[in-house]
């Protein structure tokens, strides 16, 4: 099962729910962004549509591919 997270290419921040009301927000720490990890690619795209601006340059990171031979970066 893949694990996706949304990262801003512009700022390096991650889109994740905040602890108080669980609304998505951009956070600096990957540790804090742990709640933003999902296996649902449709949800990832919906979060980007709802919460990211063009200037954020959102990118979807597959944590299971990151740093492997399958990593496109």
């Amino acid at each position: 099962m893949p694990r996706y997270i949304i990262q801003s290419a512009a700022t390096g921040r991650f889109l994740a729910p905040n602890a108080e009301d669980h609304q998505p927000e951009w956070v600096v720490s990957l540790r804090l962004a742990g709640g933003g990890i999902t296996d649902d690619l449709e949800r990832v795209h919906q979060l980007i549509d709802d919460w990211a601006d063009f200037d954020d340059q959102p990118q979807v990171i597959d944590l299971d591919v990151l740093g492997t031979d399958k990593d496109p970066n």
Side-chain angles (χ1 to χ4, degrees):
M1 172 172 19
R3 296 176 300 152
Y4 302 110
I5 194 159
I6 302 164
Q7 184 177 27
S8 167
T11 66
R13 294 177 184 221
F14 302 92
L15 190 60
N18 71 38
E20 293 177 13
D21 64 5
H22 304 288
Q23 293 296 312
E25 66 179 357
W26 293 102
V27 297
V28 177
S29 167
L30 184 57
R31 182 181 58 79
L32 295 175
I37 296 172
T38 182
D39 63 350
D40 185 348
L41 197 52
E42 286 184 41
R43 174 156 171 68
V44 167
H45 291 294
Q46 190 63 51
L47 285 167
I48 290 171
D49 287 344
D50 293 345
W51 296 96
D53 294 326
F54 177 78
D55 293 341
D56 293 318
Q57 300 175 20
Q59 57 186 358
V60 179
I61 307 295
D62 183 341
L63 295 174
D64 295 320
V65 173
L66 188 65
T68 70
D69 292 338
K70 297 178 184 177
D71 190 347
N73 298 319

